[in-house]
Amino acid sequence: MAKYCKFSLEMSKEFCTLHLEEDLSISAESWCIECQTFLCLQCEKDHKRNRASKRHPIISIVEYKQLPVLILESSNWCDSHNKKYDFFCHFHDTAGCVTCIKDQHKECRDLSPLEDVTKGIKSSATVEKVKNELQNLNDDVIKITSYLDSRLISLQKQKVQMVEEIQCTRKSVNNHLDKIEKRILDDLDTELFKIKSKLEKMLNELKSKKTKLDSLHNDFTKMMEFATDLQTYNALRQIAKITGEESSNIDNLRGKYELKDLHVKVEIVEALRSVEKNITAFGKIIVKTVPFNLQLKSLKELQINVLLPLKPKLISTLNISDVGQCKIHGCLILPQENFLFVDRSNKRILLFSQDGTFKRTVITFVDSPSDVCYIEDDIVAITFPEARLIHLVDTEKNRIKNTLNIKGYGYGIESDGEKLFVRISNQDSFIVLDLEGNILRRIQIPGDCITRFTIIENNIICTNWDTSEILSYDMNGNLLWKYRHDEIRKPIGIAKDTSGNIYLSCQDSDKVVVLSSTDRSSFTFLSNSDGLNKPFSLHIDQQRSLLLVANEKDGKAFVYHIPK
């Protein structure tokens, strides 16, 4: 079917695709965006009555001819097999049909339904990012154009001033200086002509870029109105590539000769005023430049990072309740491939092997533990909010190695192997301690219901289970951004993968939601259909790409492989 569409694109008049298949040439009156076929009046009526295609968007031939090339060149159909694309290969970063799986993707594991990949693309943050960058590029071209216009005016004023100086000097000498006066004036005109030619050349190039950007902006609008999700996805990548190249070109203009502040002056030979017969030149033209300092808004390179839904793979299911009723508030994947769980109600930490077998109770405490993090070797750190303590526990020797008094309700905890980062909820702060318990830093961040967090690129990303918000702060306590979504209800547990994506355990929606820390797009990774029931804690082993998520009360925990 797709081959007839491509054939028609090259013709001055479009014909009904379905009739072309029967060797009949009937003029097309409309275009189905989803099927990418031309339709005559009768076929359009049939198309709208057909249950499978009645909801397909249809546009007139006039509207079709106004579609930008980048949309028309992006097909929903596989060129090799003449079948509709229905999956996306993350490894090859390309769409494919069912036959492509057999021919080209036999060994590929990270395949997703195309609908899952492109769903919501037009409402994603990527669209706004590309739109803003197009506008920024347009604004930059206008700014530079205005600047160059002003430079031409200034250049003309400088010329007037220098001509006046030259002519004034000329009046003080005798007629034999006519020849060298002409020479200096010619030199001046020649140099200014060179400068002007360069400036005008750059102006013409920028005006050409402006025309191109206007066209691209118009294409973008048409794309948002008429393109399919896949077309939008592919077009966004093309636009991003073009805007990236143009942004780089704009940035490269900074060091260009034409954008430097030109101060042209003439130096009159001093001896000319006293010893006229020894003068062989009137002077010389000197051009001084000042670096270009306009503030431009466009990026050097626009990165399009669309957060694609990942396909989880269940590795194992753990039945923690086999050792009795529990209330799991913390979990951890140890380097030895064991799983550690913090049982708050029974004041203990439990150790399970990688196959889900219960190994032992590592230790039972006097106080109720809350969260756990790995430090090094066999040592973990565990918070005890009510006791205002942190215990450093040796999981191999089943004993408390050290106790740190923190004088506050410590809940969430993280470590880089040398320091501890702890959320102190009753003091609206995060503290940074060394492993001896000395407070190195305190960061004030308000929120009684902020208990769990992770650290990404030296920023604190935390959950507020009361407002169902995800918040990002710098290390000075300044709010960078916050995020809410209907799927994220009462988020508590939080962890990050190697790509900087944020995984959230959402108690009231029974889901694990993945959030991009760059463009704040999100999708549901796991749900109650995967066994989640009030999930409280989760942890990611970045080296092995493993996710451990534990329900709070029913004693179920799950280990998943995270596709890279």
Side-chain angles (χ1 to χ4, degrees):
M1 184 179 293
K3 61 183 179 182
Y4 291 108
C5 299
K6 291 189 175 182
F7 175 74
S8 297
L9 287 177
E10 300 172 358
M11 303 172 63
S12 59
K13 186 176 182 180
E14 280 71 34
F15 296 98
C16 177
T17 304
L18 303 179
H19 281 90
L20 280 177
E21 294 175 347
E22 300 174 356
D23 295 326
L24 297 175
S25 298
I26 298 179
S27 297
E29 301 295 334
S30 59
W31 166 263
C32 176
I33 295 175
E34 185 69 24
C35 297
Q36 292 192 302
T37 56
F38 293 108
L39 303 170
C40 64
L41 287 176
Q42 184 57 47
C43 288
E44 181 181 347
K45 292 178 182 178
D46 295 340
H47 209 66
K48 290 179 178 178
R49 283 197 295 265
N50 189 299
R51 180 176 295 180
S53 58
K54 63 187 299 183
R55 299 186 184 278
H56 288 185
I58 295 176
I59 62 175
S60 68
I61 291 298
V62 174
E63 292 172 316
Y64 167 80
K65 290 182 177 180
Q66 294 174 351
L67 292 176
V69 175
L70 61 89
I71 293 178
L72 297 179
E73 289 181 346
S74 175
S75 175
N76 292 338
W77 293 79
C78 174
D79 291 336
S80 302
H81 306 110
N82 198 27
K83 294 181 180 179
K84 195 172 183 180
Y85 290 135
D86 55 11
F87 79 91
F88 188 89
C89 176
H90 298 276
F91 178 78
H92 290 101
D93 193 29
T94 186
C97 68
V98 290
T99 307
C100 290
I101 296 179
K102 300 177 182 178
D103 294 348
Q104 304 168 18
H105 302 276
K106 289 182 179 179
E107 305 300 325
C108 298
R109 297 182 178 180
D110 294 338
L111 301 177
S112 299
L114 191 57
E115 182 180 358
D116 292 347
V117 173
T118 60
K119 184 179 180 181
I121 184 66
K122 289 187 177 181
S123 60
S124 69
T126 302
V127 170
E128 191 65 24
K129 184 185 293 186
V130 173
K131 179 182 177 182
N132 290 339
E133 185 60 12
L134 278 173
Q135 185 60 51
N136 288 342
L137 278 169
N138 191 64
D139 293 344
D140 286 347
V141 170
I142 293 174
K143 182 181 290 187
I144 296 174
T145 300
S146 176
Y147 173 77
L148 290 175
D149 284 335
S150 68
R151 296 307 309 135
L152 284 172
I153 294 173
S154 175
L155 192 64
Q156 184 61 32
K157 290 180 179 179
Q158 291 178 46
K159 178 181 178 180
V160 171
Q161 294 172 354
M162 288 183 291
V163 169
E164 290 177 353
E165 181 183 359
I166 292 168
Q167 292 178 342
C168 180
T169 303
R170 176 68 182 85
K171 292 178 183 179
S172 67
V173 299
N174 57 31
N175 293 333
H176 87 275
L177 295 179
D178 288 345
K179 186 181 293 185
I180 58 175
E181 180 194 38
K182 184 177 183 302
R183 187 187 304 167
I184 190 65
L185 289 174
D186 289 343
D187 290 346
L188 174 61
D189 285 333
T190 299
E191 193 63 38
L192 292 179
F193 177 78
K194 292 178 182 178
I195 297 171
K196 183 177 179 182
S197 297
K198 291 180 180 179
L199 293 179
E200 290 176 339
K201 180 181 178 181
M202 180 173 283
L203 267 176
N204 290 332
E205 292 175 353
L206 286 168
K207 289 176 180 178
S208 175
K209 288 183 185 293
K210 177 65 169 61
T211 301
K212 180 180 178 181
L213 286 171
D214 287 340
S215 174
L216 195 58
H217 194 277
N218 183 56
D219 290 350
F220 182 90
T221 302
K222 293 292 184 180
M223 173 192 73
M224 295 304 297
E225 186 175 357
F226 299 116
T228 66
D229 287 345
L230 176 59
Q231 290 173 333
T232 301
Y233 178 83
N234 290 331
L236 284 176
R237 292 163 65 97
Q238 293 183 45
I239 293 174
K241 179 180 179 182
I242 294 171
T243 53
E245 291 172 354
E246 292 300 334
S247 296
S248 180
N249 291 337
I250 290 296
D251 187 72
N252 289 338
L253 292 180
R254 294 177 181 275
K256 289 287 186 179
Y257 171 87
E258 291 85 346
L259 291 181
K260 294 182 179 179
D261 198 357
L262 304 178
H263 294 282
V264 185
K265 60 181 293 186
V266 62
E267 287 185 359
I268 304 300
V269 177
E270 187 62 30
L272 180 64
R273 304 181 187 278
S274 57
V275 189
E276 298 174 353
K277 62 181 179 179
N278 294 326
I279 302 302
T280 58
F282 206 97
K284 62 180 179 178
I285 304 301
I286 297 176
V287 179
K288 290 185 177 181
T289 61
V290 176
F292 173 71
N293 60 358
L294 282 184
Q295 296 299 314
L296 303 180
K297 297 189 290 183
S298 59
L299 304 173
K300 287 186 178 181
E301 183 177 359
L302 180 61
Q303 297 290 339
I304 297 301
N305 294 317
V306 181
L307 182 60
L308 301 177
L310 303 175
K311 190 175 182 180
K313 179 181 179 182
L314 180 64
I315 302 299
S316 62
T317 300
L318 289 77
N319 294 304
I320 309 172
S321 57
D322 287 350
V323 296
Q325 288 187 337
C326 53
K327 190 174 183 180
I328 303 302
H329 273 212
C331 63
L332 186 66
I333 304 175
L334 295 171
Q336 301 85 354
E337 299 185 358
N338 292 324
F339 305 117
L340 195 69
F341 296 95
V342 175
D343 181 1
R344 183 163 172 78
S345 61
N346 294 300
K347 303 178 182 179
R348 59 184 177 173
I349 52 176
L350 307 171
L351 188 67
F352 283 74
S353 63
Q354 58 180 325
D355 63 2
T357 304
F358 173 66
K359 297 185 72 172
R360 66 179 183 276
T361 297
V362 176
I363 192 169
T364 300
F365 304 99
V366 175
D367 305 298
S368 296
S370 177
D371 197 14
V372 60
C373 72
Y374 176 76
I375 299 179
E376 61 180 356
D377 298 329
D378 300 312
I379 308 301
V380 299
I382 302 174
T383 55
F384 296 80
E386 293 78 12
R388 305 188 182 193
L389 301 173
I390 296 174
H391 287 321
L392 305 188
V393 175
D394 188 325
T395 59
E396 185 64 27
K397 297 180 180 179
N398 304 331
R399 67 180 182 87
I400 298 174
K401 181 181 179 182
N402 195 9
T403 298
L404 312 179
N405 293 292
I406 55 175
K407 301 179 181 179
Y409 295 165
Y411 283 93
I413 187 168
E414 293 280 339
S415 176
D416 61 3
E418 297 179 353
K419 300 183 293 296
L420 298 174
F421 301 80
V422 187
R423 173 60 179 175
I424 310 297
S425 62
N426 65 320
Q427 297 176 3
D428 281 345
S429 67
F430 288 85
I431 58 172
V432 183
L433 309 93
D434 61 22
L435 298 183
E436 298 300 320
N438 301 306
I439 296 179
L440 307 176
R441 186 175 184 182
R442 185 180 295 273
I443 306 163
Q444 293 298 137
I445 294 177
D448 291 341
C449 300
I450 294 175
T451 56
R452 302 301 170 97
F453 68 98
T454 188
I455 297 175
I456 299 179
E457 295 181 351
N458 211 33
N459 293 326
I460 299 171
I461 317 293
C462 51
T463 58
N464 187 315
W465 55 262
D466 181 52
T467 62
S468 292
E469 290 178 321
I470 314 304
L471 306 107
S472 175
Y473 293 88
D474 63 21
M475 285 298 175
N476 293 317
N478 299 310
L479 179 64
L480 302 177
W481 54 262
K482 60 182 177 180
Y483 181 82
R484 290 185 58 129
H485 194 279
D486 292 341
E487 300 294 322
I488 301 175
R489 299 196 298 274
K490 196 176 181 181
I492 298 182
I494 182 170
K496 64 178 182 292
D497 65 14
T498 54
S499 300
N501 296 321
I502 303 165
Y503 289 67
L504 308 162
S505 60
C506 306
Q507 276 221 306
D508 285 357
S509 56
D510 293 333
K511 292 181 178 180
V512 169
V513 175
V514 181
L515 168 66
S516 168
S517 61
T518 55
D519 64 10
R520 261 80 75 192
S521 57
S522 63
F523 68 88
T524 297
F525 186 69
L526 299 170
S527 65
N528 53 8
S529 63
D530 299 298
L532 297 190
N533 179 18
K534 302 293 181 183
F536 193 97
S537 60
L538 50 76
H539 178 250
I540 290 178
D541 182 332
Q542 294 187 354
Q543 286 187 337
R544 289 172 286 177
S545 296
L546 295 179
L547 167 69
L548 172 63
V549 55
N551 294 336
E552 182 181 19
K553 296 180 180 179
D554 69 0
K556 293 286 187 181
F558 309 91
V559 183
Y560 282 90
H561 175 262
I562 302 173
K564 293 184 179 179

